[in-house]
Amino acid sequence: MDRGKAELQTRELTINMGPQHPATHGVLRLVLDLDGETVVKCTPYIGYLHRGVEKLAENRTYLTALPLTDRFDYIAAMANNQGYCLAVERLFGIEAPERAQYIRTMVAEMSRISSHILWLGTHALDIGAMTVFLYAFREREWILDLFEMLCGARLTTSYARAGGVRNDVSQEFLDSLYKFTDEFPKRVEEYETLIDQNRIWLKRTKGIGVIEADEAVNWGLSGPTLRGSGVAYDVRKYAPYDAYGNVEFDVPVGKTGDVYDRYRCRMEEFRQSNRIIRQCIEKLPRGPIMAPDAPKLTLPPKDNVLKSMESMIHHFILITKGPIAAPEGEIYSAIEAPKGELGFYFVSDGTGRPYRMRVRAPSFVHASVIPRLCEGSLVADVIANIGTVDIVLGECDR
Amino acid sequence: MNFLEAAMQPGSVDFLYNIAIIVIKILVVFGVIMLHVAYATYFERKTIGHMQVRLGPMRVGPHGLLQPIADGIKLFFKEDIIPAQSDKPVFFVAPVISLVAALTSLAVIPFFDGFVIADINVGLLFVLAMSSLGSYGIILAGWSSNSKYSFLGGLRSAAQIISYEIAMGLSLVGVMMLSGSMNLTEIVKAQEHYPLGMFLFPQLIACFVYTISVIAETNRAPFDLPEAESELVAGYFVEYSGMRYGLFFIAEYTAMIIMASIGIVCFLGGWNGPFEIPYVPFAWFFLKLYLLIFVYYWIRATLPRYRYDHLMDLGWKVLIPLALLNIVVTGIVKVLL
């Protein structure tokens, strides 16, 4: 008996969760040390989706680097485009006309809805509520159809331009979108009937992954992940950009900073985004969609390029050399992307290409907090915690 | 006296006749239940599909009616991958244990009056024993695969089935007390004097406990922790492929049908209905069966998954005390009346 005892050892079980795991939302890899079902240590590994986007941008002009930004947070490409364009506008010292600002605000909020819908669906699916996922995807499909109607692309939109937007919105699009905003709050209620008061859902989310306000700030969290802890920080309110200064909306905040509060925050943001979109449609001013002083940042219309010599040369120069008059200097510009604060930092050496483009991606910051949330909890909570910080690995790895 | 000698005895025609009848009964039950298992998957996909604003299978045959057959053929011809480091004999035998345990229980279920393969006196006990044996299949599968995910799935399953077995067994004690028998046919007959011909109302608590325990026992959502696809990918059978995987699937659905049948026999009055349907004595039984199976799917489409420790809490702190309370109350009522 004694010998048997001496040979028996207990040690932690190390399991590799991801990069191919249904609940890691892409290619996040977590190495978990388990004591039974309890997580003793959690180590995230990132970089499986690294494409060197920041470096790629250095070899592209300010115009042609834009499509790269679609591939950061590919669920909310519109918001990325907007963030990039605002940073470039700030660098060049131009401002988009009002109509373009409203349109950009509108589509950014649409992408926030689409991003939160995807988050809700996958988060609920991870926790086991399968139906929410398919309900959510019904509305996501609707939004993507609207995007397609607007600019021909569903995911990688590249719709915003430095100095405005690519094309004007049609009345047909606005009507469809308005109809969507009529219907959408009812759909949000539908999601809530499934999980909001569900006892299993409450047990799985309340008191799980708690992070206090001051700690959340110290970790550099932003967006709904931060607001769930009760910090009312929202770039749209603190440094309004585009048309956010002209529309009314509330910033929902949580109290305890657990998975449930973050869930409530995002559910409330559905309604606020809906509200913003409605206001944008109602207030949409007439006028140009491209700043008059931004011709060097936009391609001439395709018809002209095919017909007139002048435009073709213009097009050629823009694509190959880029805008020549980029002022020297550095600029940081941030927006409130669906996941959190998305910042673009440019260093310009006066050529047509960025000397350095650095992206402050919320997903990258949020991925780092996962071990803090997971350690000491159960395996099932790891899933809830990955869902609640809402990371997209395309943005995290870039 | 061995079988051959018995067959040679005078009057052996009766003996052979009985054997032939039993074999035919076995084949009929097996065939019918296998068909039900195949179409239970189709029914599940259709039901949940429509609950989730989609159509479910539509491609194979009209409205996807041939989908289960296509799935079966596909599984049959898939490569059978066996992990190099697995414990092979156990790995081979695990799905068979699951399936055999599930199918054996069919022997004691009375589908209608007088139709039961083995009318034994400890029918209920037999079913409970077999369902416990079935969990060996899951535990051994998880262990022999030599994969950490399967292992975790197997462990969860062991804990879950032990906990819920108790609650389930205790919830059936009340039924045994009221009917005074463990023979399933007797249990059905004992219910005829009760309201609606069911034990449902006198044994409401037990029925509640039984229904929940059964969902846990068969590893269905929201208690599908051993195979939680978002946590353990597929849990205990993650390393299985081809028909071996198919066997687990068949075992799971057969177990669902068995457990629903026991529920019908013990709480819903078995083959008896509000009125007699002529020429189809099994009609009520199967209608009730479809209803219960639908409820399983409905629950799966609605609820999120329990967490491991919450599951244990529910089993030990709620269901087992409730079942015990039910036994005490049933006993007191029975003595007083």
Side-chain angles (χ1 to χ4, degrees):
Chain A
M1 273 306 279
D2 283 348
R3 258 190 72 217
K5 264 184 191 167
E7 281 168 10
L8 271 179
Q9 292 175 1
T10 56
R11 77 195 147 91
E12 282 136 20
L13 178 73
T14 307
I15 67 167
N16 186 28
M17 189 180 260
Q20 290 166 327
H21 186 284
T24 54
H25 295 200
V27 286
L28 176 66
R29 174 176 164 223
L30 296 176
V31 174
L32 303 175
D33 287 352
L34 300 180
D35 177 10
E37 287 254 341
T38 314
V39 180
V40 180
K41 193 166 168 247
C42 163
T43 322
Y45 289 85
I46 58 165
Y48 290 91
L49 204 58
H50 177 66
R51 293 148 299 174
V53 172
E54 290 178 1
K55 188 71 188 168
L56 280 173
E58 291 173 18
N59 291 307
R60 291 173 171 238
T61 66
Y62 288 101
L63 178 69
T64 53
L66 174 71
L68 295 177
T69 62
D70 289 335
R71 278 84 179 164
F72 290 155
D73 178 359
Y74 37 78
I75 299 156
M78 288 289 192
N80 299 347
N81 296 158
Q82 186 192 27
Y84 176 82
C85 292
L86 278 164
V88 174
E89 281 168 15
R90 201 167 289 179
L91 180 68
F92 280 81
I94 53 178
E95 199 180 351
E98 230 185 358
R99 184 176 173 86
Q101 289 189 359
Y102 271 89
I103 295 174
R104 288 206 301 220
T105 307
M106 192 165 75
V107 293
E109 288 309 312
M110 282 167 73
S111 77
R112 188 182 315 279
I113 289 180
S114 135
S115 164
H116 282 5
I117 280 179
L118 192 92
W119 158 81
L120 175 71
T122 50
H123 187 43
L125 187 68
D126 290 346
I127 294 186
M130 184 161 97
T131 305
V132 184
F133 174 73
L134 287 135
Y135 278 21
F137 262 61
R138 178 183 54 184
E139 274 68 69
R140 179 172 146 82
E141 201 64 17
W142 194 350
I143 290 217
L144 294 186
D145 285 345
L146 285 169
F147 278 157
E148 192 179 357
M149 197 171 169
L150 175 66
C151 64
R154 291 160 68 83
L155 275 178
T156 50
T157 49
S158 291
Y159 175 65
R161 289 285 183 276
V165 290
R166 196 185 79 198
N167 56 301
D168 206 346
V169 290
S170 65
Q171 190 58 41
E172 193 196 353
F173 169 78
L174 291 178
D175 290 344
S176 318
L177 183 58
Y178 205 71
K179 215 164 90 193
F180 173 82
T181 57
D182 272 340
E183 189 61 33
F184 187 62
K186 288 178 218 154
R187 300 291 173 89
V188 175
E189 270 168 36
E190 213 173 290
Y191 310 149
E192 286 177 342
T193 55
L194 272 168
I195 47 179
D196 213 39
Q197 300 297 323
N198 185 303
R199 292 172 63 135
I200 304 178
W201 178 265
L202 293 179
K203 271 194 157 181
R204 288 295 303 272
T205 54
K206 280 214 163 173
I208 307 297
V210 180
I211 188 155
E212 301 286 332
D214 48 351
E215 206 183 344
V217 173
N218 287 346
W219 275 99
L221 304 184
S222 53
T225 314
L226 174 68
R227 292 196 285 271
S229 300
V231 184
Y233 173 70
D234 188 324
V235 184
R236 292 174 296 174
K237 280 281 185 207
Y238 279 75
Y241 52 93
D242 279 350
Y244 284 110
N246 308 330
V247 289
E248 277 178 24
F249 64 99
D250 301 325
V251 178
V253 288
K255 275 185 194 129
T256 50
D258 57 5
V259 175
Y260 185 75
D261 276 15
R262 290 190 279 269
Y263 152 78
R264 281 305 322 160
C265 274
R266 292 198 176 95
M267 292 310 271
E268 215 42 60
E269 282 189 12
F270 275 137
R271 301 202 167 85
Q272 298 305 328
S273 292
N274 201 60
R275 210 171 135 199
I276 297 173
I277 295 174
R278 280 181 84 90
Q279 291 177 55
C280 281
I281 298 175
E282 281 156 9
K283 291 182 180 171
L284 188 65
R286 295 186 181 283
I289 51 158
M290 188 52 83
D293 49 355
K296 284 180 179 157
L297 284 165
T298 42
L299 296 177
K302 191 71 183 168
D303 278 353
N304 295 1
V305 175
L306 293 176
K307 283 176 198 154
S308 104
M309 185 70 170
E310 210 52 8
S311 295
M312 200 183 79
I313 293 170
H314 193 72
H315 183 113
F316 184 73
I317 296 279
L318 269 176
I319 294 288
T320 50
K321 281 191 175 166
I324 296 151
E328 263 182 68
E330 305 176 6
I331 194 90
Y332 176 81
S333 159
I335 63 153
E336 183 74 20
K339 309 270 187 300
E341 180 181 333
L342 174 72
F344 284 88
Y345 175 65
F346 281 114
V347 179
S348 164
D349 57 357
T351 61
R353 298 159 209 274
Y355 179 75
R356 175 83 170 93
M357 179 177 95
R358 159 83 190 147
V359 181
R360 190 249 182 234
S363 293
F364 177 72
V365 182
H366 293 172
S368 67
V369 82
I370 290 177
R372 155 70 184 76
L373 297 177
C374 290
E375 278 167 19
S377 63
L378 298 174
V379 180
D381 295 335
V382 173
I383 309 300
N385 284 328
I386 297 174
T388 190
V389 294
D390 193 15
I391 53 172
V392 160
L393 272 294
E395 185 183 59
C396 180
D397 297 342
R398 300 188 289 280
Chain B
M1 197 190 291
N2 67 27
F3 178 78
L4 267 179
E5 275 173 37
M8 297 297 176
Q9 292 291 316
S12 64
V13 179
D14 277 358
F15 184 75
L16 286 177
Y17 173 77
N18 283 341
I19 288 184
I21 289 291
I22 289 179
V23 169
I24 290 171
K25 271 185 179 173
I26 290 174
L27 288 178
V28 167
V29 169
F30 181 74
V32 168
I33 294 300
M34 279 302 112
L35 204 65
H36 272 79
V37 165
Y39 277 88
T41 62
Y42 173 77
F43 182 44
E44 169 161 30
R45 291 167 70 177
K46 274 289 181 193
T47 316
I48 295 189
H50 282 280
M51 283 176 180
Q52 295 173 340
V53 289
R54 58 198 172 89
L55 293 172
M58 286 296 281
R59 296 281 166 167
V60 192
H63 282 266
L65 267 171
L66 299 177
Q67 185 71 45
I69 294 161
D71 285 345
I73 293 171
K74 185 196 77 177
L75 280 177
F76 208 77
F77 286 105
K78 280 262 174 184
E79 188 188 350
D80 180 22
I81 301 165
I82 299 154
Q85 297 296 312
S86 65
D87 189 339
K88 289 192 186 60
V90 184
F91 188 81
F92 291 155
V93 109
V96 179
I97 294 177
S98 273
L99 186 64
V100 167
L103 286 177
T104 314
S105 308
L106 285 174
V108 294
I109 291 175
F111 291 97
F112 56 90
D113 198 4
F115 188 91
V116 49
I117 297 169
D119 196 12
I120 55 174
N121 284 333
V122 286
L124 207 49
L125 218 52
F126 180 79
V127 172
L128 290 178
M130 280 303 151
S131 82
S132 309
L133 266 185
S135 67
Y136 273 101
I138 292 175
I139 297 162
L140 290 179
W143 182 73
S144 67
S145 303
N146 202 4
S147 148
K148 287 166 182 172
Y149 281 99
S150 314
F151 179 61
L152 271 178
L155 284 188
R156 281 184 176 191
S157 167
Q160 179 174 334
I161 288 179
I162 288 169
S163 312
Y164 280 81
E165 193 92 315
I166 300 171
M168 191 173 87
L170 289 178
S171 71
L172 292 175
V173 169
V175 172
M176 295 175 202
M177 288 162 83
L178 283 188
S179 60
S181 171
M182 279 200 265
N183 179 314
L184 295 175
T185 311
E186 294 298 317
I187 291 178
V188 174
K189 286 187 175 156
Q191 295 180 40
E192 282 166 5
H193 316 293
Y194 285 87
L196 290 179
M198 293 176 182
F199 274 156
L200 176 62
F201 299 106
Q203 289 292 317
L204 202 57
I205 303 175
C207 186
F208 171 74
V209 173
Y210 179 82
T211 313
I212 295 177
S213 314
V214 156
I215 298 170
E217 185 76 14
T218 50
N219 293 331
R220 300 285 306 175
F223 303 103
D224 55 345
L225 299 174
E227 50 189 272
E229 73 264 14
S230 58
E231 296 157 31
L232 303 181
V233 195
Y236 59 89
F237 57 64
V238 71
E239 299 292 347
Y240 281 85
S241 55
M243 208 53 211
R244 283 181 210 288
Y245 164 78
L247 292 184
F248 274 122
F249 225 79
I250 296 172
E252 183 183 324
Y253 280 82
T254 314
M256 270 168 67
I257 291 177
I258 304 275
M259 289 302 166
S261 304
I262 296 296
I264 292 166
V265 166
C266 290
F267 299 105
L268 299 180
W271 62 79
N272 291 322
F275 55 88
E276 281 218 354
I277 298 175
Y279 308 119
V280 263
F282 48 83
W284 283 113
F285 188 92
F286 278 95
L287 280 178
K288 289 170 188 173
L289 182 65
Y290 300 151
L291 180 74
L292 284 187
I293 299 270
F294 174 77
V295 172
Y296 275 127
Y297 298 158
W298 191 4
I299 290 173
R300 181 176 170 208
T302 312
L303 294 178
R305 186 177 299 114
Y306 261 99
R307 205 175 73 185
Y308 178 72
D309 54 332
H310 296 155
L311 177 92
M312 289 295 148
D313 279 0
L314 183 73
W316 289 95
K317 293 186 187 163
V318 180
L319 295 184
I320 292 179
L322 267 181
L324 285 172
L325 180 75
N326 178 63
I327 294 172
V328 173
V329 171
T330 310
I332 292 172
V333 170
K334 201 166 182 205
V335 167
L336 290 181
L337 297 182

